[in-house]
Amino acid sequence: MDSDFRIEMADGMAEVPAAQWDALAALTPGSTVFQRHAYLLALEEHGCAVPQTGWQTLVLQLRDSDGQLAAACALYAKGHSMGEYVFDWAWADAYERNGLAYYPKLLAATPFTPVTGARLLGRDKPARRALLGALLDFAQRSGLSSLHLLFLTPEERELCAQAGLLLRQTVQFHWQQPNAPWLDFDAFLGAMNHDKRKKVKQERRKVTQAGVRFRRVQGAQVTPEDWAFFIRCYRQTYAEHGSQPYLNLGFFRAIGRHLPEHVLLLIAERHGEAIGASLILLDPELRHAYGRYWGALHHVPNLHFEACYYQPLEFCIEQGYTRFEGGAQGTHKMARGLLPVPCTSAHWLADARFNAAIEHYLQRENLALDQHMDELHEHVPFRKAATCPAEDAGL
């Protein structure tokens, strides 16, 4: 690591000045709203990502000779693998079967957020490279089993590969405007093949015929009552899957208060009664939108597709947003116009034997994923004559 930098470690985001952190984020390629100080602090202040839930925050900082913050990384010592969306349960099981402790481990990621974005914030690439070196030094000295950096930017992928970390590929499904943008939702539908276009129209028609209409609530217009309704819907989704939600009302109100320009609520109403909602987070500068959470108090066929895909896509097209990310997994998203996109994570394991074994495993897994991606691209929902956004993006 560059000896001109001094290493400091903070025990939480509250110990790092927000202005300094956000200034680094603004200088870092690929940084999103999920790297904003207010977002990460809200996760701690409202008990979502705290030691009691298995997330101990450690903020690694590099300061230059003048004491200025040159680079920083939000790091978590974790006692489990929940809320990550890059699954390493089998690795943990293998450790346990061999009498080794996999937990706690070190994680560089935004908790509960499967969105590609900068993990290594820095004023320039040399500072970010030095930060990764300091991070690896810390991991090696910590005595913990491993270090994991999730949903990396292209630059971070390059830096991690150069540092000898193991790279892992996963797939998500994103919507993207083509070079010749669709001017409205009908134009977007017109680019799809007949069967997919017919299916989307049928799904939307069923929601409309059920008497459902949507109300957009954005930014400071979101009221405390809107958040209270949304959290009911959010909790309902988790209850239906027999699990506990990661986030709470205090967290959602905090991001609405501190990051209002990034918030869009889509509220489904039937005969004047609110019955469902989805939360979309926006990056106005990047012109990207992120589908995050949804829920419904009453079942309406295809309401999920309308709230989580079609309404957000209409918004993106109308407002000039160029990308919509639909979250983790889900090949069903392809039929709605979201196409496969590779995502990268990087891993270091302290035990040399396991590091070698997982390296061989990832070689096979990554090859299988490449083949899967080729198969997915053979079934894109767009007509061959139409402009394909995946081709424009070089995906």
Side-chain angles (χ1 to χ4, degrees), residues 273-309:
E273 176 192 6
I275 63 168
S278 65
L279 173 63
I280 313 299
L281 290 186
L282 307 172
D283 241 320
E285 292 187 6
L286 293 176
R287 310 309 291 172
H288 291 181
Y290 310 91
R292 296 308 304 121
Y293 306 102
W294 105 288
L297 304 184
H298 301 283
H299 175 71
V300 174
N302 301 310
L303 181 59
H304 170 257
F305 299 139
E306 185 68 29
C308 296
Y309 307 127

Side-chain angles (χ1 to χ4, degrees), residues 44-94:
E44 295 180 45
E45 288 189 330
H46 296 281
C48 304
V50 292
Q52 293 85 345
T53 60
W55 299 76
Q56 180 182 347
T57 308
L58 303 167
V59 185
L60 182 64
Q61 305 163 82
L62 299 188
R63 295 191 177 272
D64 61 22
S65 57
D66 295 325
Q68 298 299 309
L69 189 63
C73 174
L75 187 64
Y76 300 89
K78 288 206 61 197
H80 53 70
S81 292
M82 293 183 288
E84 299 177 15
Y85 304 95
V86 176
F87 305 111
D88 62 351
W89 301 103
W91 303 1
D93 181 63

Side-chain angles (χ1 to χ4, degrees), residues 367-381:
L367 178 60
L369 184 71
D370 288 342
Q371 295 172 343
H372 180 54
M373 291 284 288
D374 289 341
E375 293 172 358
L376 290 173
H377 281 299
E378 292 177 0
H379 298 88
V380 296

Side-chain angles (χ1 to χ4, degrees), residues 214-227 260 262-269 277-280 282 315:
F214 276 81
R215 177 167 58 94
R216 294 177 184 173
V217 192
Q218 191 171 352
Q221 297 176 339
V222 182
T223 66
E225 292 75 21
D226 291 329
W227 283 122
H262 297 281
V263 171
L264 170 65
L265 267 184
L266 300 170
I267 299 177
E269 298 178 334
S278 65
L279 173 63
I280 313 299
L282 307 172
F315 174 88

